[in-house]
Amino acid sequence: AYAARLDLKEVGRGLDLYHARFGRYPARGAGVPALYGEGLLLGVPRTDPWGHSYELVHAHTDGVDPT
């Protein structure tokens, strides 16, 4: 679980850098790999300690579920 916490901090930094560079967050479907593809995070996307890929979930504030 500690490794996952560190991974999420790294993804958070990548999201901050992405937003600073592009003025928005990665599009739905681009997800965590977009942070690596833009060179904001180094290496390749990791999986969590349970073997699952990390995913970005867009929050919605208008009460409508976009999915």
Side-chain angles (χ1 to χ4, degrees), residues 17-65:
L17 291 169
Y18 192 100
H19 190 270
R21 181 178 289 176
F22 299 106
R24 60 179 178 79
Y25 291 105
R28 183 180 305 275
V32 174
L35 306 176
Y36 289 89
E38 293 294 337
L40 301 171
L41 297 179
L42 301 177
V44 296
R46 293 195 273 270
T47 57
D48 68 22
W50 303 274
H52 301 101
S53 297
Y54 290 105
E55 297 181 20
L56 299 179
V57 177
H58 290 251
H60 55 283
T61 59
D62 59 2
V64 177
D65 186 354

Side-chain angles (χ1 to χ4, degrees), residues 1-10 46-50 54:
Y2 182 73
R5 192 173 309 141
L6 292 177
D7 287 345
L8 292 176
K9 282 186 178 187
E10 181 180 3
R46 293 195 273 270
T47 57
D48 68 22
W50 303 274
Y54 290 105

